Amino acid sequence: MSSGTLAPEAVCQMFDRISPVYDLMNRVLTAGLDGRWRRLTAAAVVRPGDRVLDACCGTGDLALADLEAGGEVTALDFSERMLERARPKSDAVRWVRGDAMTLPFDDASFDSATIGFGIRNVSDLEAGLAELARVLSPGGRLGCLEITQPRGLLRLFFGLWFDQLIPFAGRVLPGGAAYTYLPASVRRFPGPEELAAAMERSGFIDVTFRLLAGGIVTLHTAGRP
């Protein structure tokens, strides 16, 4: 199952371009809540002393939350410009450039893994999830934080946010194509139940999810048999 229509190289170039404004836009577009969501994700799966992988780490904020939760953290992203923004944030994290579809790690290398707002961008959803399962040790845990389409009254707000605010950001900010790609990628992405089913098909067990911000964001957790 493909998560989008852009080639992986084009997605990487797009994130390279928006790296200077990425942290600011995260704060603005989430009203500052994204930090809390990342801490919840880390707290849900990371135990003190865990070997932790943060995949699709971007500028590193979820990796830092994993570190604060007591993990020994390796963070990976395919965008060098994103990693340039991440590296100064901590010398305690091992920052690695690489592709989430072909993780440069041995089987069972990690006790837990996180991925925040990144699984939507992989070229094949179930293959990407299976790759995360491969590098987790038996009994390992995955925390996956992702934007989802809410139900009920919040759908009106969500439409305003995605159809008005984000495209406006795309017109006025460097690398604005990303803010056209973002709404389209979310609309194509499976809902919470479908994502949970994809995790199970990819080798995970005990999959649960929690809706945050009225369902605009969902935190999935899962285990490795």
Side-chain angles (χ1 to χ4, degrees):
M1 180 188 300
S2 173
S3 63
T5 59
L6 291 182
E9 297 80 7
V11 175
C12 182
Q13 292 168 6
M14 179 181 64
F15 281 102
D16 278 347
R17 290 194 300 271
I18 67 169
S19 60
V21 297
Y22 186 77
D23 284 346
L24 173 62
M25 289 305 298
N26 280 344
R27 304 296 102 77
V28 171
L29 294 176
T30 68
L33 292 173
D34 64 300
R36 176 176 179 271
W37 299 334
R38 295 173 207 273
R39 290 190 295 274
L40 286 173
T41 303
V45 297
V46 176
R47 298 169 183 166
D50 272 3
R51 300 164 299 164
V52 185
L53 171 65
D54 183 42
C56 303
C57 69
T59 57
D61 286 349
L62 182 49
L64 296 182
D66 293 338
L67 188 68
E68 291 173 2
E72 299 175 3
V73 183
T74 298
L76 173 140
D77 202 274
F78 63 176
S79 167
E80 178 59 28
R81 300 288 87 77
M82 287 286 192
L83 290 171
E84 288 175 359
R85 299 278 168 172
R87 291 186 186 106
K89 293 181 179 181
S90 176
D91 293 331
V93 175
R94 177 190 175 202
W95 305 103
V96 177
R97 187 179 184 191
D99 188 344
M101 295 297 298
T102 54
L103 292 169
F105 310 113
D106 292 337
D107 295 356
S109 292
F110 299 97
D111 305 303
S112 54
T114 57
I115 183 166
F117 309 116
I119 198 65
R120 189 184 67 255
N121 299 314
V122 301
S123 58
D124 185 309
L125 173 61
E126 291 187 22
L129 289 167
E131 185 68 351
L132 287 169
R134 179 186 68 79
V135 300
L136 281 171
S137 60
R141 300 162 303 283
L142 171 68
C144 178
L145 186 67
E146 192 51 85
I147 302 171
T148 48
Q149 296 189 57
R151 304 174 179 119
L153 292 176
L154 272 178
R155 287 187 68 88
L156 179 62
F157 168 75
F158 185 84
L160 177 65
W161 183 43
F162 261 42
D163 294 334
Q164 302 295 328
L165 179 59
I166 292 179
F168 174 76
R171 291 193 296 271
V172 301
L173 290 172
Y179 300 104
T180 300
Y181 166 81
L182 174 61
S185 68
V186 171
R187 291 192 177 95
R188 287 189 298 266
F189 195 68
E193 294 85 358
E194 292 82 3
L195 180 54
M199 288 180 169
E200 291 173 347
R201 291 192 297 269
S202 302
F204 287 98
I205 61 172
D206 300 328
V207 181
T208 63
F209 63 85
R210 174 182 176 183
L211 301 179
L212 304 171
I216 292 174
V217 171
T218 303
L219 169 58
H220 283 75
T221 59
R224 171 76 161 81

